[in-house]
Amino acid sequence: MTRSALADRPDPAVCSVQNGGDVAFGAMADADYTELLPLGPDETPYRLITTEGVSTFATPEGTFLKVEPAAITALTAAAMHDIAHYLRPAHLAQLRTVLDDPEASDNDRFVALDLLKNATVAAAGVLPMCQDTGTAIVKGKKGQFVFTGGGDEAAIAAGVQQTYETSNLRYSQMAPLTMYEERNTGTNLPAEIKISAVDGEDYKFLFIAKGGGSANKSYLYQETKALLNETTLLPWIFEKMQTLGTAACPPYHLAVVIGGTSAEFAVETAKLASTHYLDALPTEGSPSGHGFRDVQLERKVLQLAQQTGIGAQFGGKYFCHDVRIVRLPRHGASCPVAMAVSCSADRQALGKITRDGVFLEQLETDPAHFLPDPEEVTQDDVEVQPAVHIDLDRPMPAILAELSKHPVKTRVMLTGPMVVARDIAHAKIKERLDAGEEMPPYLRDHCVYYAGPAKTPEGYASGSFGPTTAGRMDSYVEQFQSAGGSMVMLAKGNRSKQVTDACAAHGGFYLGSIGGPAARLALDNITKVEVLEYPELGMEAVWKIDVVDFPAFIVVDDKGNDFFEQVRAEARAATPLAIA
């Protein structure tokens, strides 16, 4: 079509559809448009990263903000570094609240104090707060007066790669080579990047590092209109909430989204709400159909979270720090409901590029001031009971006999050697067993720790080295214990009944480690790390580590007792839904 023909076309802003589908043009009333997620003013505290790479230029259509790719890369690199080491002050204040709450359980306080100590270690900028330094997720909102010349996603990816290659972070992204073969990318790319076109002259960002544990606790439920009454909804949420378990390292920031124009939008909204990105939503709905927060329902669901009995990983009140409930419009025939959490590694930060420069949300760089004074609260003050010390240098039968003396929920301190193996290593060992080979001696003789370390900084014995989710290894336990291996397992989160049954049948134990304090474990409890087998797997290799006073709890014992099942039974027996 020629330029003159284009010029002769009517303005589509005044087109309408007549009977029969013919297009007519004329005056049209304003559309009843609303943003699906309208946010209020941004009151975030920011720090200046740089003024370089930002300028303006005039055009007949107005003044544009010109942003060089280097500015986007610099912002992304700074963001990914900061969220690996620093937390928001509000999150740290919530951890301190656990210590100060007389209704908190001893276990709640034990975990909260450990997480505050971990934040203090991580804030030195060397050891990341969690060994799973996450998938990089970046959400951008690009104003119509922002000009970059293209390549925004590549510039963001360059910033992600820069930080992961130059910091002590972990590469966790697996590239599919075939349907069944994978290889670690060695850069932590690809990142998940989404950029929206919006009004304005600013470029705004949300940066998230999402570890596998919390990412795996994003759920979608396809429900119906029948759920949309409080009598039905609250028991439903209470039941689903309990299925989250502890594998994603509570206390959680829990988000529940009810409704949605699509299933995927509901899940994405839940993820954003869990980061507090949607806190400035309206608190009431309207006929136009925008999403809103139901703050009254949030308070009620938080009370339900406190009644689960799960607490901050090992029983108590603080299963959740807070709850966000977002109601979205929906198709009359659909009612998606999504649930997501942000874990104790609550890693996100806002960023923006304006005429004044490149800015990143100011996170807390001195979390130590949230810790109580040493004379006020010590670790001994929040211990559930005197710890049982377990010598891992002893033969496995002696270790099992010592553990057998103590009930589930007993706190233990582990000292000595253990092996580290997770998903890929377990799969390789299973292949050997299936082929008629014997169980490797290291799995018969030692406790197995499900984990994958971050990079070891120069001069340190270990990089951040916290536990991974135990449930991913559940399917291997029966076979491994039958062959004499995995008799003592150490990880985070709850296990399935097949693990409880295997431990009862073979005399095994599952010990729960505190999920979250990976930096503190590396600094205070792990004294030596060496590769034992499969070095080509990187962080998925089989490692041998030496530990001193490594804290854990007996979760599943050799008699078929499961601590988390006991908690669930107590919650079911109690009068549910006692909501003020």
Side-chain angles (χ1 to χ4, degrees):
M1 185 178 291
T2 66
R3 182 178 297 274
S4 59
L6 284 170
D8 292 339
R9 294 179 67 187
D11 185 348
V14 294
C15 77
S16 61
V17 179
Q18 297 178 330
N19 292 338
D22 295 331
V23 177
F25 297 90
M28 183 177 70
D30 291 339
D32 187 15
Y33 169 76
T34 181
E35 287 186 73
L36 277 176
L37 298 171
L39 299 180
D42 181 9
E43 298 179 355
T44 304
Y46 290 95
R47 66 181 181 92
L48 178 66
I49 300 297
T50 184
T51 57
E52 296 183 6
V54 179
S55 60
T56 60
F57 64 94
T59 76
E61 301 299 328
T63 300
F64 277 72
L65 175 68
K66 184 177 181 180
V67 179
E68 301 293 340
I72 299 173
T73 298
L75 174 59
T76 304
M80 299 315 297
H81 171 273
D82 281 14
I83 62 179
H85 294 281
Y86 311 128
L87 292 159
R88 286 172 168 160
H91 175 83
L92 293 163
Q94 288 174 312
L95 284 172
R96 177 55 194 260
T97 296
V98 179
L99 295 180
D100 296 334
D101 185 356
E103 295 182 355
S105 71
D106 290 337
N107 273 324
D108 286 334
R109 286 191 285 271
F110 183 86
V111 171
L113 183 57
D114 219 33
L115 292 173
L116 282 172
K117 289 181 176 180
N118 186 69
T120 303
V121 173
V126 179
L127 294 166
M129 68 184 75
C130 178
Q131 82 288 340
D132 185 349
T133 46
T135 298
I137 301 173
V138 182
K139 178 179 176 62
K141 289 186 175 182
K142 186 176 184 180
Q144 90 268 29
F145 289 108
V146 177
F147 175 82
T148 62
D152 296 30
E153 292 192 16
I156 291 169
V160 172
Q161 181 171 343
Q162 177 180 315
T163 293
Y164 275 81
E165 288 185 340
T166 58
S167 300
N168 301 305
L169 309 186
R170 193 181 84 184
Y171 306 137
S172 298
Q173 304 308 309
M174 305 298 293
L177 305 181
T178 68
M179 180 60 70
Y180 308 110
E181 297 175 295
E182 298 177 311
R183 180 180 301 159
N184 195 298
T185 63
T187 60
N188 215 56
L189 294 177
E192 179 184 314
I193 302 168
K194 296 181 180 179
I195 302 174
S196 304
V198 299
D199 295 342
E201 58 179 19
D202 298 335
Y203 206 160
K204 297 183 178 181
F205 298 87
L206 170 65
F207 299 96
I208 305 172
K210 195 73 172 173
S214 64
N216 294 344
K217 296 302 177 181
S218 296
Y219 292 103
L220 172 70
Y221 309 96
Q222 295 286 14
E223 299 298 320
T224 69
K225 166 69 175 174
L227 190 67
L228 299 182
N229 63 86
E230 190 166 288
T231 302
T232 305
L233 180 61
L234 286 177
W236 184 92
I237 292 177
F238 186 68
E239 176 194 349
K240 301 302 183 186
M241 187 191 310
Q242 292 177 82
T243 67
L244 292 172
T246 61
C249 309
Y252 296 135
H253 301 279
L254 173 65
V256 182
V257 173
I258 300 164
T261 49
S262 66
E264 56 269 28
F265 183 64
V267 176
E268 181 178 12
T269 302
K271 180 166 63 179
L272 293 176
S274 73
T275 70
H276 290 191
Y277 183 71
L278 304 180
D279 277 8
L281 281 176
T283 55
E284 295 181 347
S286 72
S288 60
H290 62 70
F292 67 92
R293 279 181 62 191
D294 189 327
V295 293
Q296 292 183 339
L297 189 57
E298 288 174 0
R299 288 192 289 268
K300 293 178 180 180
V301 173
L302 181 58
Q303 290 182 26
L304 293 183
Q306 295 167 353
Q307 294 176 46
T308 63
I310 298 171
Q313 303 189 31
F314 298 104
K317 173 182 177 182
Y318 280 93
F319 186 51
C320 295
H321 282 306
D322 50 44
V323 174
R324 294 294 182 265
I325 306 285
V326 177
R327 180 67 159 90
L328 292 178
R330 67 183 185 92
H331 185 287
S334 301
C335 187
V337 181
M339 188 174 288
V341 300
S342 184
C343 65
S344 59
D346 188 40
R347 294 173 296 191
Q348 57 267 328
L350 298 175
K352 63 180 181 180
I353 303 177
T354 72
R355 294 187 180 200
D356 297 321
V358 179
F359 297 87
L360 181 63
E361 181 177 353
Q362 179 64 64
L363 303 178
E364 180 57 69
T365 59
D366 183 24
H369 73 267
F370 288 94
L371 284 166
D373 294 332
E375 63 271 15
E376 182 183 350
V377 176
T378 68
Q379 193 78 47
D380 290 339
D381 293 326
V382 296
E383 290 178 354
V384 182
Q385 71 276 317
V388 174
H389 290 264
I390 305 295
D391 182 0
L392 298 179
D393 270 315
R394 302 174 71 189
M396 181 55 66
I399 295 172
L400 295 173
E402 179 60 35
L403 289 171
S404 190
K405 298 175 185 178
H406 308 285
V408 294
K409 200 175 178 180
T410 298
R411 190 171 63 87
V412 297
M413 299 290 257
L414 309 174
T415 298
M418 63 174 74
V419 297
V420 179
R422 47 180 280 156
D423 306 64
I424 297 178
H426 273 69
K428 286 184 171 294
I429 293 168
K430 175 177 169 51
E431 290 174 0
R432 289 156 62 171
L433 295 177
D434 290 345
E437 298 181 34
E438 293 186 355
M439 174 65 66
Y442 55 74
L443 274 188
R444 290 200 309 264
D445 299 337
H446 298 293
C447 166
V448 57
Y449 181 34
Y450 302 159
K455 285 181 274 186
T456 300
E458 186 175 352
Y460 284 69
S462 171
S464 292
F465 212 152
T468 196
T469 303
R472 299 201 309 274
M473 269 55 75
D474 282 6
S475 63
Y476 301 102
V477 174
E478 168 60 33
Q479 182 182 17
F480 282 25
Q481 289 192 345
S482 296
S486 295
M487 297 306 295
V488 179
M489 302 162 286
L490 175 67
K492 66 174 181 176
N494 44 298
R495 307 298 295 264
S496 64
K497 189 175 184 299
Q498 67 187 121
V499 172
T500 306
D501 291 344
C503 287
H506 302 290
F509 289 84
Y510 166 56
L511 310 180
S513 177
I514 299 173
R520 197 188 72 76
L521 290 173
L523 189 66
D524 297 339
N525 303 107
I526 300 175
T527 61
K528 184 179 179 181
V529 177
E530 59 182 321
V531 176
L532 200 58
E533 193 174 15
Y534 305 124
E536 70 277 8
L537 298 181
M539 68 93 177
E540 292 264 8
V542 176
W543 306 78
K544 184 178 180 182
I545 65 175
D546 290 336
V547 301
V548 175
D549 290 339
F550 193 108
F553 292 79
I554 299 177
V555 175
V556 176
D557 67 12
D558 57 347
K559 305 167 188 67
N561 298 308
D562 179 344
F563 165 68
F564 288 112
E565 183 53 42
Q566 290 182 4
V567 169
R568 285 191 291 267
E570 291 169 2
R572 288 192 295 266
T575 303
L577 311 184
I579 301 170

